[in-house]
Amino acid sequence: MGDGARLIWDPIFTGYNFGDGHPMGPLRLDLTARLCKEFGLFDIVAPIAPEPADDDLLATVHDWGFIAAVKRASADPATAESAYGLGTEDDPAFVGMHEASARIVGGTVEMCRAVHAGEIEHGVNFCGGLHHAMRDRASGFCIYNDIAVGIAWLLDHGVERVAYLDVDVHHGDGVEAIFADDPRVLTASIHENGRLLFPGTGWARDIGHASGEGYALNVALPAGTSDSAWLRAVRSAIFPVVRAFKPQVLVTQHGCDTHMEDPLAHLALTVDAQRQAMLDIHDLAHELCNGRWISLGGGGYELVNVVPRAWTHLTAIAGHRPIEPQTEIPQAWRDQVAALTGRRGPARMSDLPPGSSPIWVQPWELGYNPHSPVDAAVMATREAIFAHHGLDVWFD
C-alpha cells in the first residue's frame, strides 16, 4: 500500500459551469486550488488531470439514453430535454457539458483505481461529489454521478464492501438510489431534513430495499444544528454501523454547505466542525480500511469564505499535513481573492476566536436526551438501522 496521496486538479475543471448567477460557480474550485497551492499542498498531494470517462464507463451506472441526451444538449443546449433533468433551473445545459461532467467522473474513477492498486492511500477530488445525479437524469446541479461510477468501478474490480459517507447538507439521494438494493455498498448520509430542503428525502426509515435492506443509513437533522450536536450525530449514528460493516474502501463526500454562512441551507456549522469530521473520517479509514480513502467535494455555495478553506483542510488531511485551525491564511491568496471578486477573504483557517477550546462532543454513552431534536433524529436512525448490523440501539 502506498503511503502518499494524490489530488485531481487542473483549471480545465472550471469548465463545469452552469453560467453566471448559478450557485455552483466554478470560482469555488479555482480559489480552493489557489489556497492549496499557497499552503504548499501541491508539493505533498500531487495534482493530476485525467481524461474524461468514456461512454462505456459512464454506462456502468447511467442509462445509454441519458448519456445520449447529455451529449445532444452539450452540442446544442437548445435541445436539452427536461425529461432527463436537463435545461432546468438547477441544471441548465451548456456547451461542453458532457465532456466537463465526464472529466469529473474520470477524476474520481482514477482516484479509486490508484487507491485500489495500492499506489496511494488517499485520493482527493474536490471537483467531484456530484451525489444527486440519477441513473436516468440529472438532478440538483449534478449531471453524471461520479461517486456511483467510482464505487461501481471498485465493485467491478473485486472490492467486496464499500462504505460511502456523505456529510453534505443535502441528502445523498442519487448514490443511495443507485445502490439501494446492493448489500456490498453501505450508503450513509447525514443532512438537514427534507422539510425545508431539496431533495426532501433521506429519512431515518429509508434503509434500502430487497437484498440491500439495512444498507442505506440516513440521519435527518433539524435546521439550526450546530457543531457539537452535528459531530455527536456523525459519531453516534454513522460510525458504529460503518465499523460493523467492515468496509475495504471508504468513499466520502464532503459538501461544505452545512456551514452557517451557506446561502442555500439552514445548518449552523463552522469550518472547524467540518475539519474535525474530516479528521475523524481519516482516522476511520486507517482503522478499518488500511487507509484506503477516496474523498470528494460536493455542495458548498459560499464560494469565498467557506469552500476554499474547507477543501484545503480536506486536502491537507489527506496529505497527512493537517493545517491547524488558527493558521493565518497567506496574504497572497487574500490578494488574489480581492482581485478576482472585490471581496476580502477570510484571515484564518478557523471560524472560532483565537484561544477557543476544541469543540466538545458528548459521547453517546453519557446518555440520550429525549428533549433534544438532534438526539431524537439520531435515535430514529439507530432504531431503524442498528439491529440490521447486530448493534444495540442504546449502548453501541
Side-chain angles (χ1 to χ4, degrees):
M1 168 63 68
D3 59 359
R6 202 170 288 165
L7 170 71
I8 297 297
W9 173 250
D10 185 277
I12 199 170
F13 282 94
T14 60
Y16 191 81
N17 184 355
F18 291 113
D20 292 345
H22 192 281
M24 199 166 183
L27 178 68
R28 67 199 197 122
L29 303 179
D30 177 69
L31 291 180
T32 299
R34 289 171 184 264
L35 187 56
C36 286
K37 188 174 182 180
E38 288 296 332
F39 273 114
L41 296 179
F42 284 2
D43 298 328
I44 300 164
V45 185
I48 62 170
E51 293 299 311
D54 63 26
D55 291 1
D56 287 338
L57 185 54
L58 296 173
T60 59
V61 162
H62 291 294
D63 292 350
W64 282 104
F66 171 56
I67 297 168
V70 175
K71 285 187 160 185
R72 288 193 297 271
S74 183
D76 180 2
T79 67
E81 301 167 72
S82 60
Y84 290 107
L86 303 171
T88 63
E89 183 178 353
D90 278 359
D91 295 286
F94 59 92
V95 172
M97 177 173 65
H98 166 76
E99 181 178 354
S101 304
R103 191 179 298 277
I104 292 170
V105 176
T108 295
V109 172
E110 171 56 22
M111 291 297 89
C112 291
R113 186 208 63 77
V115 167
H116 181 60
E119 296 173 10
I120 55 174
E121 282 188 323
H122 309 326
V124 183
N125 183 11
F126 57 67
C127 306
L130 304 182
H131 60 167
H132 293 308
M134 298 291 179
R135 286 190 183 275
D136 58 354
R137 67 186 187 279
S139 177
F141 312 163
C142 306
I143 307 300
Y144 295 134
N145 196 315
D146 64 294
I147 308 164
V149 178
I151 292 172
W153 187 94
L154 290 168
L155 298 175
D156 289 344
H157 287 79
V159 176
E160 297 175 349
R161 294 180 307 283
V162 178
Y164 169 64
L165 277 65
D166 186 318
V167 300
D168 193 288
V169 80
H170 302 92
H171 175 221
D173 56 339
V175 184
E176 179 183 304
I178 289 164
F179 297 108
D181 61 355
D182 193 334
R184 298 175 298 171
V185 182
L186 173 72
T187 61
S189 177
I190 181 167
H191 45 266
E192 182 183 339
N193 69 46
R195 290 190 178 90
L196 299 173
L197 200 66
F198 174 90
T201 54
W203 300 93
R205 62 180 177 271
D206 299 326
I207 62 170
H209 56 79
S211 59
E213 184 174 323
Y215 293 91
L217 182 161
N218 286 289
V219 189
L221 297 175
T225 300
S226 56
D227 287 0
S228 181
W230 184 79
L231 287 166
R232 172 172 161 87
V234 172
R235 295 176 183 178
S236 302
I238 294 178
F239 282 10
V241 179
V242 175
R243 288 188 170 102
F245 181 66
K246 296 182 172 62
Q248 295 163 309
V249 180
L250 194 60
V251 179
T252 58
Q253 196 265 23
H254 294 269
C256 51
D257 40 9
T258 50
H259 195 274
M260 57 188 173
E261 293 183 26
D262 194 90
L264 299 189
H266 316 95
L267 296 191
L269 269 59
T270 63
V271 73
D272 302 78
Q274 294 171 339
R275 175 184 180 273
Q276 184 60 56
M278 296 166 189
L279 289 167
D280 290 351
I281 288 168
H282 168 263
D283 290 348
L284 199 65
H286 281 285
E287 174 190 340
L288 301 176
C289 308
N290 198 25
R292 296 183 183 91
W293 178 36
I294 297 98
S295 59
L296 310 170
Y301 309 102
E302 208 323 302
L303 309 186
V304 174
N305 286 345
V306 177
V307 178
R309 289 188 298 159
W311 292 346
T312 297
H313 276 307
L314 178 65
T315 305
I317 289 165
H320 292 148
R321 297 285 183 89
I323 298 168
E324 288 300 315
Q326 294 297 336
T327 301
E328 291 189 2
I329 290 176
Q331 186 62 46
W333 183 82
R334 300 181 71 200
D335 291 343
Q336 293 169 36
V337 168
L340 290 167
T341 70
R343 294 175 55 182
R344 294 178 61 188
R348 294 174 296 110
M349 292 295 286
S350 171
D351 288 322
L352 301 177
S356 297
S357 300
I359 300 167
W360 183 77
V361 182
Q362 180 177 327
W364 188 258
E365 309 86 74
L366 293 185
Y368 159 62
N369 178 3
H371 302 294
S372 161
V374 174
D375 272 19
V378 170
M379 182 56 87
T381 299
R382 290 170 68 99
E383 289 176 339
I385 205 85
F386 269 38
H388 289 274
H389 298 271
L391 298 170
D392 185 282
V393 169
W394 293 99
F395 298 109
D396 285 318

